[in-house]
Amino acid sequence: MRRASALLLVSALAATCGVTLPENGDPEWASPGLVGGGGWPFAGDPLPPSDGQGARYLPDSSVVRLADGRVRLVPTGGEDAITVSGSDPRVAEAVRGDQTWLARGTVPGRLVPWLKPCPPTGKNRPARPDDVLQTTRNEISTTAASPRAAGSAQVGAARPAGVGGVSDQAVAEKGCVPVAPRPKVPEVPAAGSPARPPAAGKPAKPTIGPTPTPTPTPSEDPKDENGEHDRLTVASAADKATGYRDMAARALQDLRLLTRPNGASLASWYGAWRYSWPRDSAFAAAAFTVTGHPAEARRILRFLARVQTTKGMWAARYNPDGSAVADGRHAQLDSLGWVLWAAWFFHTENPEAAEDLPELWTMVRRAADELTASLRSDGLPPPSSDYWERPASSEQDPRHATLGVVGPVLAGLRAASVLARDLGHADRAELYRGAAHRVEGGITARFAPLGYPRSPIRGGRMDTSVTFLSPPFGPADQGVTDAVRSAAGKLALPNGGVLPGERWSGNAKVAWTPEMALFTLSAAAAGRPEEAMARLDWLSAHRTTLGALPEKVDEYGRPAAVAPLGWTSSLVVLSLSALEKPLPVPDEG
């Protein structure tokens, strides 16, 4: 009787608190990453945490070598992972398939941390590993050589003047400012926070802790005993470049494993994440596009065109088979804006590949017509759920759309106008251009005077959605830049990450990686490379032991939700790409 009563009590508490009872101390979502193989259709299977210790991906693949030397992979045509000996011929076949796919496009990252070696000696000598990297700060160029060429560059090789840094002339005229390495991001909160995990009654510590950054970690204060700052050297920048490139490669491989053969791009592999959101899918398509993987981008966009209603709408989310999830969630207007932006991005970056997607324009026209018709007298769309996935009625101002809706709608209408113009639909281009200007006017009147809060009311709280108004989603604006920086400061956490918004109703100690990555992309696309790199370093430091990017990071620096998360992976790829070469920005003129 006592045992039965105890079990009933535990079950009742679990049901009341929404807790998933852990098995062997690990949450059911816990995994250091997905196992895959090189064959078609691409399929991913999570690696159990018990097998994660000492496990590593084989280079540029989703094939995992376990600590005991055996190898885990998903065989061609399969859905479930199998474990084989390292000498099994299927291992080489799977690795070769993964590497071949990756090599069809580009992997960003290698050019990101390179700045101009300084001081100039007046001699044409190759850069040495102990050379100090310098910059004139505000003149860092985001123009770089092709990633393919950069991939073969070695430490000690000469770098062309102006590539990845400032020109010789600018250095000579203005002098050099040393680049100091950023402080190490602590894996546990600073003094005043708990020094150890919570006691009994809390979830056990997951076995999928973060991996260290791929570069030498400097001290908390990067000054030497003489009070001088340490210097970022060519050698340490090369290490950092390798780490960035590997993070991007892992993100791309994870995105591929999360994209089903029918084009449904899943948020992640488990439970409530195993669905396809149009919002997340749009960013996955953009990440595949910018790295030269048009087949995957086209498959995602074709899926979105297929599930779109004749009125131009999408459901909040879809099952992997493409059926809409009937859970009472209303359609989310921000998804229309994001898909429009992704469709324009795909056409702009690869018009030849877009020609093989005739349904693209029909999808864009339907969605843009719906958004244009939805605008109210103040120029703004009606209230709707956004990336926070909560009812509009729960917002500070339920009468008006949040910036999380308004920002994507503006980006989408701008993108639709440019795409319509480029495809020869002058009447639609003018219609969408006018709609975009109406939204701009509404933002200027309601959000700008208040500092771009989430809800357009005095005292409105800041959130990450202010980044939706900045590059690469719209032209640079100083007021928006100031608001982005203000929001980032207000949402910062002791563990180095950020919350989604002020007075967050969820766990106020847990950082969200998509939000951190949105601030990263905003900084990278707006020409603030040092800020972007600092945020990339934090994201890199808080990956799982296999290098996957989790959705959340707890106060102790541990993954606090499923990994990998597709949206974060896409944003990291886009951020690294933006630091190597400016991303296009939809500006209808």
Side-chain angles (χ1 to χ4, degrees), residues 335-352:
S335 66
L336 277 70
W338 289 132
V339 175
L340 288 173
W341 170 77
W344 161 82
F345 192 90
F346 178 67
H347 183 272
T348 298
E349 290 289 277
N350 199 332
E352 292 183 1

Side-chain angles (χ1 to χ4, degrees), residues 65-88:
R65 184 182 296 280
L66 303 178
D68 62 8
R70 295 180 299 162
V71 174
R72 187 77 54 84
L73 57 84
V74 176
T76 299
E79 289 282 342
D80 301 319
I82 61 174
T83 303
V84 300
S85 70
S87 60
D88 191 298

